[in-house]
C-alpha cells in the first residue's frame, strides 16, 4: 500500500519528465539513424551516415569552434564579475538596494529585448558605441559586420546580461557565511586579500560550481540574440551550435541531420557536466 | 492583441455553429511588416462572409513567414483542417516536395476563373508557377527600390531630382556623396545595401542587372558561378573595398532604415515594404527610384502567395477559390497596398480611383510597379533553405574580405550542384 502511495506521488512528475524530456531525447537519437523523409521520398535507415556527414560538414566544425570561443569568452568573465559585484554590494554602502537592483536589471530583461537594445549600441555611426567613440575622434567601426569583432561583441553583451544573475547567488552565499570567521581573521591579522583567497573563496566553492554549470549550459543554450543581431553571420562567424540546429531543422527541414546535431549537443553537455562535477567536487567544501 | 483575436475566433466559431451546412475556410497568414494588419484581414474576412452566405472564413495570424510555414505544415500533419494559407512565395518547392498543395488551375476552370489567373502582373506569377501550373496566387508582394536623400544630393552639388541610373553613375555620385569630418572619419556614406537578413535577395538584383538569373525555372539548377554573376558580386564588394562609398563588412538589414532617415547614408537599397516608414521618419525630402542598371535594370520580387492545400473537399475548394478571388480583386488589392506598402498585384488595381488618387499625391508608390517589367522571381529551388544559405555565406564571406568573390561563388555552386542533383 505504501508503495502505491509513493508511486502515485511520483506519477505526475514522471509523466512530464518522460513525455517532455526522456521520450524526445530517445526519439532524437533514434531519428539520427534515419534519413529525412518527405512524402515523395520516405525516410529510411541510414546507419551512421548522418554522423559521417556531420564530420564532413565545415559549418558544424565552425559553429563548434564558435561555441567554444563563446563559452571561454563569457564564462570566466561573467563569474569573476559576478563575484566582484556580489562582494561590492554585500558591503555597507549608500543606496545599497538601488545598486543591487541596477546590477540585477539586465537579468530580468528578455534576451530578445536585450539584443534589440544592443543592436543599436553596435550599429555603425548611429550606434551608442560609435557616437561615444566619435567624441574622442575614433573612426566608425562596423562591429557586427566584421567577422573579427562580431564574436567579442556578442560575448560582451552576454556577460552584461548574465553577470547580474550569478551575482545574486554569490550574494546569497556571502550572506550565509558566519561573521565570526571574519572577526577571527581580523584578530589574527589576515589581510583582506589573504582572507578572500584562503577563506571566502573556498567557502563559496559550492556556489561557484553551481554558477559554472549554469554558465556552461547557458553558453550553449542562449541563441535568442542571434535572431536579432546577426542571424549567425557574417558567413557563420557568429553562429552557435543550437542556432545551427534551428536552421537545419526549420529552414532546411532536414530533421534527421538536426537530430544528429542535437545528439552531439546533448553528449557534449552531458560530458561537460560530468567533468565539472568530478573535478570540482574534489575541491568543494560542502558544510 | 491575442485576446481580441481569441474573441474574434470565438465569435466566428459561434457563428459557424449557429448556421447549418456551412463551408469553412481556414487560412494561416504571416505578417512581415508593421501596423495593425490583423484587423484589416479580419475585416476582409467579415466582408466576404456578408456577401457569401454559407461560407465561414477563419483567418489565423501565424507570425512571420517561417512561423507561418511551420504552423501550417504542423496543422496539416496533425489533421487540423486548413484549406488555404498565405505562405512565402519561395516555399513552393518545399510544399511540392511535402505534397501538400495543389494547382489553382485544377480548381479555377471556368472562363472567368481563367481570366482571373491571367489578371496579375506576370512577374508576380513566376515564383508561384511550376511546370506551367499555378500554385501561388500573389497577395502580399514587394520588390527592392532605391531611396535617395535629396538634401544630400544638393549638398554634394548633384541634381537632387536625378538619381543614378546605372552602376557607373551610382559609383561616381556615391563618391561625391561621401562626407568626412576634419579627421577623415566618415560622417555619411554614399550608398548602403543591406547584407545580413536577405543577402541573396539583394544580390539577385545585382546579378539580374548584370544580365543573369540565379536559378532555372524548374528549381533544380543554380547559376552562382557564371562570370557575370561573379562580376556582380565583385562590384558589390568594390563599393566598400575599392571605391570606399559603402561601409566594409556586412550592412545590417534592420538598422539601415534608421541610418538612412538620420542622414548617415545618402542612398539605400531596400524593400518597398519600408516606404511608409521612411515617409513617416525622414525629415528631409527623399526620392524613390528603380534600381540602377548595368547591362539592364533588374530587381527580384518578394513576399507571400495564396496556396491551396490538397486535403480539401470540392466544396471547400470552391469556397476557397471564391475567397481568394475576393481577396485579390482590384478594389481590395488597392486597399491592401495602401495599408501596407506592398505592391498591388494586378494592373486593374492601379486603375481603381482610390489607388490613382493615392499615387497622384505620393508618386513613389508607383515605382515598384513600374519596375515589374525588369523583375525576376525570388531565389527558390528544391532544398531551398540550404541552397539559399550557400549563397548568403558566399556573399558575406566576399563582403567581409574573407574570400574572393570568384572562389566563394564557385564553391557555393559546387555545393548547390551536389544538393540539387537528385532533382534533375
Amino acid at each position: 500500500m505504501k508503495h502505491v502511495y509513493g508511486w502515485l506521488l511520483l506519477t505526475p512528475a514522471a509523466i512530464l519528465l518522460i513525455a517532455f524530456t526522456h521520450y524526445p531525447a530517445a526519439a532524437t537519437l533514434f531519428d539520427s539513424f534515419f534519413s529525412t523523409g518527405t512524402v515523395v521520398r520516405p525516410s529510411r535507415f541510414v546507419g551512421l551516415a548522418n554522423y559521417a556527414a556531420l564530420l564532413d560538414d565545415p559549418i558544424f566544425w565552425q559553429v563548434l569552434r564558435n561555441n567554444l570561443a563563446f563559452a571561454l569568452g563569457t564564462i570566466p568573465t561573467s563569474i569573476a564579475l559576478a563575484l566582484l559585484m556580489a562582494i561590492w554590494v554585500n558591503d555597507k554602502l549608500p543606496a545599497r538596494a538601488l545598486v543591487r537592483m541596477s546590477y540585477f536589471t539586465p537579468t530580468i530583461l528578455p534576451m530578445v529585448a536585450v539584443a534589440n537594445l544592443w543592436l543599436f549600441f553596435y550599429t555603425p555611426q548611429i550606434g551608442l558605441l560609435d557616437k561615444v567613440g566619435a567624441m574622442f575622434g575614433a573612426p566608425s567601426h562596423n562591429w557586427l559586420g566584421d567577422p573579427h569583432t562580431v564574436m567579442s561583441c556578442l560575448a560582451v553583451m552576454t556577460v552584461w546580461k548574465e553577470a547580474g544573475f550569478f551575482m545574486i547567488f554569490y550574494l546569497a552565499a556571502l550572506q550565509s557565511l558566519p561573521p565570526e570567521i571574519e572577526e577571527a581573521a581580523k584578530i589574527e591579522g589576515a589581510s583582506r586579500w589573504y582572507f578572500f583567497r584562503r577563506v571566502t573563496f573556498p567557502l563559496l566553492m559550492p556556489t561557484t560550481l553551481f554558477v559554472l554549470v549554469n554558465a556552461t549550459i547557458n553558453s550553449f543554450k542562449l541563441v535568442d540574440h542571434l535572431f536579432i543581431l546577426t542571424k549567425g553571420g557574417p558567413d557563420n562567424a557568429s553562429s552557435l551550435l543550437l542556432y545551427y540546429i534551428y536552421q537545419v531543422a526549420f529552414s532546411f527541414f532536414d530533421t534527421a541531420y538536426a537530430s544528429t546535431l542535437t545528439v552531439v549537443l546533448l553528449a557534449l553537455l552531458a560530458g561537460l557536466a560530468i567533468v565539472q562535477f568530478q573535478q570540482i567536487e574534489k575541491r568543494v567544501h560542502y558544510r | 492583441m491575442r485576446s481580441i483575436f481569441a474573441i474574434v475566433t470565438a465569435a466566428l466559431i459561434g457563428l459557424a455553429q449557429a448556421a447549418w451546412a456551412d463551408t469553412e475556410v481556414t487560412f494561416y497568414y504571416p505578417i512581415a511588416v508593421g501596423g495593425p494588419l490583423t484587423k484589416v484581414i479580419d475585416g476582409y474576412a467579415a466582408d466576404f462572409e456578408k456577401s457569401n452566405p454559407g461560407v465561414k472564413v477563419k483567418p489565423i495570424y501565424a507570425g512571420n513567414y517561417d512561423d507561418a510555414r511551420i504552423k501550417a505544415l504542423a496543422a496539416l500533419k496533425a489533421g487540423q483542417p486548413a484549406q488555404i494559407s498565405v505562405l512565402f512565395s519561395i516555399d513552393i518547392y518545399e510544399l511540392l516536395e511535402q505534397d501538400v498543395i495543389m494547382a489553382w488551375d485544377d480548381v479555377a476552370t471556368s472562363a472567368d476563373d481563367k481570366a482571373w489567373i491571367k489578371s496579375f502582373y506576370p512577374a508576380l506569377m513566376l515564383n508561384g508557377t511550376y511546370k506551367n501550373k499555378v500554385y501561388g496566387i500573389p497577395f502580399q508582394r514587394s520588390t527592392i527600390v532605391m531611396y535617395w536623400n535629396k538634401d544630400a544630393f544638393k549638398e554634394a552639388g548633384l541634381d537632387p531630382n536625378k538619381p543614378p541610373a546605372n552602376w557607373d553613375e551610382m559609383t561616381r555620385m556615391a563618391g561625391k556623396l561621401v562626407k568626412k569630418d576634419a579627421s577623415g572619419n566618415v560622417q555619411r556614406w554614399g550608398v548602403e545595401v543591406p547584407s545580413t537578413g536577405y543577402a541573396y535577395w539583394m544580390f539577385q538584383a545585382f546579378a539580374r542587372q548584370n544580365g543573369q538569373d540565379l536559378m532555372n525555372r524548374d528549381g533544380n539548377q543554380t547559376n552562382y558561378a557564371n562570370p557575370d554573376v561573379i562580376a556582380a558580386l565583385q562590384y558589390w564588394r568594390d563599393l566598400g573595398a575599392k571605391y570606399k562609398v559603402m561601409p566594409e563588412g556586412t550592412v545590417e538589414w534592420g538598422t539601415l532604415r534608421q541610418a538612412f532617415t538620420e542622414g548617415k547614408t545618402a542612398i539605400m537599397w531596400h524593400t518597398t515594404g519600408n516606404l511608409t516608414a521612411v515617409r513617416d521618419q525622414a525629415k528631409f525630402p527623399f526620392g524613390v527610384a528603380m534600381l540602377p542598371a548595368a547591362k539592364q535594370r533588374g530587381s527580384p520580387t518578394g513576399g507571400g502567395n495564396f496556396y491551396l492545400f490538397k486535403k480539401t473537399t470540392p466544396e471547400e475548394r470552391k469556397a476557397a477559390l471564391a475567397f481568394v478571388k475576393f481577396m485579390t480583386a482590384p478594389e481590395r488589392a488597392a486597399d491592401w497596398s495602401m495599408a501596407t506598402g506592398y505592391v498591388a498585384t494586378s494592373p486593374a488595381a492601379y486603375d481603381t480611383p482610390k489607388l490613382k488618387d493615392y499615387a497622384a499625391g505620393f508618386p513613389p508608390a508607383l515605382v515598384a510597379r513600374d519596375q515589374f517589367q525588369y523583375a525576376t522571381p525570388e531565389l527558390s529551388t528544391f532544398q531551398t533553405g540550404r541552397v539559399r544559405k550557400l549563397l548568403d555565406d558566399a556573399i558575406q564571406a566576399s563582403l567581409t574580405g574573407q574570400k574572393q568573390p570568384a572562389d566563394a561563388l564557385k564553391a557555393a555552386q559546387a555545393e548547390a550542384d551536389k544538393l540539387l542533383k537528385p532533382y534533375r
Side-chain angles (χ1 to χ4, degrees):
Chain A
M1 197 56 212
K2 252 188 184 168
H3 279 297
V4 176
Y5 187 61
W7 279 110
L8 276 178
L9 284 177
L10 264 179
T11 309
I15 288 175
L16 287 177
L17 265 179
I18 289 168
F20 293 107
T21 305
H22 300 309
Y23 169 71
T28 302
L29 184 65
F30 185 75
D31 283 348
S32 71
F33 299 116
F34 288 81
S35 70
T36 300
T38 63
V39 178
V40 187
R41 281 160 222 267
S43 170
R44 63 192 166 80
F45 182 76
V46 292
L48 291 173
N50 285 327
Y51 291 89
L54 181 128
L55 294 179
D56 273 344
D57 180 1
I59 297 180
F60 165 71
W61 291 109
Q62 189 177 0
V63 296
L64 197 63
R65 274 198 306 274
N66 287 348
N67 225 143
L68 293 179
F70 184 66
L72 286 176
T74 54
I75 298 170
T77 324
S78 54
I79 291 182
L81 212 61
L83 187 55
L84 207 68
M85 292 193 303
I87 290 171
W88 159 251
V89 299
N90 194 34
D91 274 347
K92 287 179 189 65
L93 68 153
R96 187 165 69 169
L98 194 74
V99 177
R100 282 182 185 175
M101 197 187 72
S102 59
Y103 280 162
F104 193 63
T105 312
T107 305
I108 56 176
L109 295 174
M111 195 61 171
V112 171
V114 168
N116 270 308
L117 278 177
W118 283 72
L119 179 61
F120 280 92
F121 288 2
Y122 287 136
T123 300
Q125 296 185 305
I126 56 173
L128 182 74
L129 212 57
D130 268 9
K131 285 214 161 147
V132 172
M135 279 189 239
F136 300 98
S140 162
H141 187 78
N142 193 350
W143 297 99
L144 297 175
D146 178 345
H148 301 104
T149 53
V150 62
M151 216 53 201
S152 318
C153 289
L154 297 187
V156 168
M157 187 193 78
T158 311
V159 168
W160 176 84
K161 171 101 171 70
E162 297 256 275
F165 182 56
F166 299 145
M167 175 197 79
I168 292 294
F169 296 107
Y170 275 122
L171 190 58
L174 280 173
Q175 290 185 344
S176 67
L177 294 186
E180 305 88 59
I181 307 179
E182 194 174 356
E183 278 163 30
K186 266 190 190 147
I187 293 165
E188 296 283 338
S191 71
R192 273 192 79 156
W193 170 241
Y194 185 84
F195 176 72
F196 173 79
R197 194 162 55 89
R198 301 309 283 272
V199 181
T200 317
F201 190 66
L203 283 174
L204 288 176
M205 249 336 198
T207 312
T208 305
L209 172 67
F210 173 79
V211 167
L212 188 62
V213 171
N214 261 297
T216 311
I217 293 172
N218 275 356
S219 70
F220 284 91
K221 198 179 73 179
L222 271 183
V223 292
D224 316 19
H225 53 291
L226 293 181
F227 289 87
I228 308 292
L229 285 174
T230 64
K231 298 179 186 66
D235 190 19
N236 301 308
S238 65
S239 191
L240 299 174
L241 194 48
L242 190 57
Y243 185 76
Y244 186 49
I245 293 175
Y246 170 84
Q247 278 187 326
V248 170
F250 295 112
S251 172
F252 305 167
F253 285 104
D254 192 346
T255 44
Y257 191 53
S259 303
T260 314
L261 287 164
T262 310
V263 170
V264 171
L265 176 62
L266 281 178
L268 206 71
L269 283 177
L272 273 173
I274 291 169
V275 170
Q276 274 181 336
F277 277 108
Q278 276 183 346
Q279 286 303 307
I280 300 170
E281 198 114 294
K282 288 179 194 156
R283 305 207 213 154
V284 173
H285 308 277
Y286 284 106
R287 277 177 296 149
Chain B
M1 197 64 226
R2 191 156 280 183
S3 63
I4 295 172
F5 185 58
I7 292 166
V8 172
T9 317
L12 283 174
I13 292 169
L15 283 173
Q17 282 163 346
W20 50 274
D22 277 347
T23 309
E24 199 175 90
V25 176
T26 303
F27 80 103
Y28 290 83
Y29 66 98
I31 286 181
V33 295
L37 298 181
T38 47
K39 256 186 215 154
V40 179
I41 297 268
D42 289 343
Y44 291 160
D47 286 348
F48 176 76
E49 286 177 353
K50 248 181 257 161
S51 52
N52 290 271
V55 180
K56 294 291 159 211
V57 178
K58 202 171 132 195
I60 300 177
Y61 166 62
N64 63 24
Y65 283 116
D66 280 342
D67 298 339
R69 175 183 53 214
I70 293 164
K71 278 180 195 164
L73 285 177
L76 285 179
K77 258 188 193 166
Q80 276 186 21
Q83 287 74 31
I84 50 174
S85 275
V86 177
L87 300 173
F88 215 163
S89 61
I90 55 177
D91 285 340
I92 178 168
Y93 293 104
E94 182 61 36
L95 296 169
L96 282 171
E97 198 165 5
Q98 302 273 354
D99 199 26
V100 291
I101 53 172
M102 60 183 291
W104 286 99
D105 315 76
D106 296 346
V107 186
T109 45
S110 74
D112 180 45
D113 292 343
K114 281 182 182 154
W116 166 69
I117 287 185
K118 291 217 159 43
S119 69
F120 301 99
Y121 284 104
L124 297 177
M125 302 306 284
L126 296 173
N127 271 119
T129 309
Y130 177 67
K131 303 215 162 158
N132 293 321
K133 285 203 158 184
V134 175
Y135 291 86
I137 297 291
F139 178 57
Q140 43 189 43
R141 303 296 298 269
S142 55
T143 65
I144 305 166
V145 289
M146 180 166 64
Y147 298 80
W148 84 96
N149 179 336
K150 292 190 176 176
D151 281 356
F153 270 58
K154 246 183 247 165
E155 200 188 309
L158 297 166
D159 181 353
N161 291 314
K162 200 174 160 292
N166 56 50
W167 287 6
D168 290 341
E169 278 183 27
M170 187 166 85
T171 317
R172 195 166 41 78
M173 287 180 174
K176 285 186 186 161
L177 288 162
V178 173
K179 191 165 85 179
K180 290 182 179 170
D181 65 8
S183 49
N185 296 330
V186 175
Q187 299 277 302
R188 179 182 68 215
W189 290 102
V191 57
E192 290 192 31
V193 179
S195 43
T196 54
Y198 301 89
Y200 72 93
W201 198 47
M202 290 289 155
F203 182 59
Q204 275 193 279
F206 283 103
R208 179 67 179 174
Q209 288 153 19
N210 218 17
Q212 293 298 321
D213 281 333
L214 293 181
M215 78 291 185
N216 67 350
R217 289 287 141 84
D218 287 335
N220 57 15
Q221 181 90 47
T222 56
N223 187 28
Y224 295 168
N226 181 294
D228 289 337
V229 174
I230 292 169
L233 185 53
Q234 186 68 49
Y235 175 67
W236 192 355
R237 159 130 183 89
D238 284 349
L239 286 172
K242 191 167 147 198
Y243 306 123
K244 309 279 179 203
V245 296
M246 184 153 72
E248 282 205 62
T250 53
V251 173
E252 166 60 31
W253 168 278
T255 54
L256 177 55
R257 193 184 72 217
Q258 264 88 350
F260 178 74
T261 54
E262 295 199 13
K264 297 299 182 188
T265 178
I267 301 172
M268 75 162 174
W269 290 18
H270 223 303
T271 162
T272 49
N274 265 327
L275 187 54
T276 313
V278 171
R279 185 190 186 183
D280 292 344
Q281 287 168 6
K283 291 176 227 50
F284 48 82
F286 74 96
V288 176
M290 285 187 229
L291 296 180
K295 292 179 178 166
Q296 63 188 78
R297 287 192 188 266
S299 162
T301 60
N305 283 343
F306 271 112
Y307 293 97
L308 174 62
F309 293 125
K310 247 185 186 168
K311 247 191 196 165
T312 39
T313 64
E315 293 79 48
E316 285 172 344
R317 287 173 196 169
K318 235 174 86 187
L321 177 67
F323 177 64
V324 174
K325 278 174 85 171
F326 173 87
M327 290 294 276
T328 53
E331 277 293 304
R332 225 138 289 101
D335 192 61
W336 182 239
S337 171
M338 291 187 296
T340 55
Y342 286 119
V343 291
T345 48
S346 64
Y350 283 98
D351 285 336
T352 56
K354 57 178 162 187
L355 196 50
K356 265 188 177 161
D357 285 352
Y358 180 71
F362 189 51
L366 292 179
V367 173
R369 179 199 67 174
D370 296 340
Q371 196 173 241
F372 274 159
Q373 52 183 312
Y374 310 108
T376 177
E378 185 169 5
L379 180 62
S380 167
T381 62
F382 285 100
Q383 295 280 325
T384 198
R386 277 214 167 90
V387 171
R388 200 162 58 219
K389 183 159 166 34
L390 286 170
L391 181 60
D392 275 342
D393 289 351
I395 293 166
Q396 293 184 347
S398 303
L399 293 180
T400 53
Q402 309 284 97
K403 285 182 191 163
Q404 288 299 317
D407 299 340
L409 286 172
K410 278 176 188 160
Q413 176 65 32
E415 285 296 313
D417 276 336
K418 266 191 235 166
L419 288 169
L420 292 176
K421 207 175 230 162
Y423 300 91
R424 286 175 195 159

